[in-house]
Amino acid sequence: TISDSELNAKYPVWLRGDAPGTVIITDSTLTASEDGEMIYNKANGNVNITIDGAAYVTSDAELAAALADNSIETIILEGTFDGFTVERGVKIEGGTINVGSIVNMPGNIPKGIYIKTNEAVEIDGVSFDGGSEGHAQRKGIVTETGYSPTVTITRSTFMNLPLGIYFNSAALG
């Protein structure tokens, strides 16, 4: 547990392969240098990290586990992730999402985040990258037809995409 601390370093927290199974960070500031990372995680997915109650994830497997845990209200992405589906209310912060890895929509239209819930979803500081080529209708964020989530998008970037956000009927935001 790290609490009430201010850590300024290239890697304020470095987790080795034999790091403890859970790292809890509360009321602390972790500031990485420009060429570093806030948490340098070399524990191969064997450590659950929470920062002020938010799940901190560095892999697609960790992200899937956090999305499946209804007690987690905020997920902090560190690094690059494949596209994914959100089926509950949650806040997603940071990271980069490669658009094109989810193809479960009619017509197999690739997307970054596929929202399939009536609950509020917040997306903050996320970068969506459509890549250099691919499906002409790839989208950064898509809401499922028939659902009416409230979607809030702030400080996010959409690159190399013909469509950034596609709200199907009934979506609010």
Side-chain angles (χ1 to χ4, degrees), residues 102-111 114 139 142-144 166 168:
I102 300 176
V103 288
N104 59 353
M105 282 181 60
N108 292 328
I109 298 169
K111 59 206 152 305
Y114 183 41
K139 301 167 174 83
V142 176
T143 62
E144 169 70 18
Y166 187 84
N168 275 298

Side-chain angles (χ1 to χ4, degrees), residues 57-60 63 75-84 92-101 111-113 123-131 140-141 155-161:
V57 300
T58 60
S59 70
D60 290 311
L63 173 58
I75 301 171
I76 301 169
L77 307 178
E78 179 65 42
T80 302
F81 297 81
D82 291 334
F84 55 91
I92 307 290
E93 292 183 7
T96 298
I97 298 172
N98 288 327
V99 173
S101 48
K111 59 206 152 305
I113 297 179
I123 300 164
D124 182 19
V126 176
S127 294
F128 295 84
D129 190 348
I141 300 169
R155 301 179 315 119
S156 295
T157 306
F158 298 83
M159 303 169 289
N160 305 314
L161 290 166

Side-chain angles (χ1 to χ4, degrees), residues 118-173:
N118 288 318
E119 299 175 53
V121 174
E122 186 175 346
I123 300 164
D124 182 19
V126 176
S127 294
F128 295 84
D129 190 348
S132 60
E133 55 187 76
H135 195 288
Q137 291 187 21
R138 60 194 185 283
K139 301 167 174 83
I141 300 169
V142 176
T143 62
E144 169 70 18
T145 300
Y147 288 87
S148 57
T150 298
V151 181
T152 303
I153 303 162
T154 54
R155 301 179 315 119
S156 295
T157 306
F158 298 83
M159 303 169 289
N160 305 314
L161 290 166
L163 298 167
I165 304 163
Y166 187 84
F167 290 115
N168 275 298
S169 59
L172 305 171

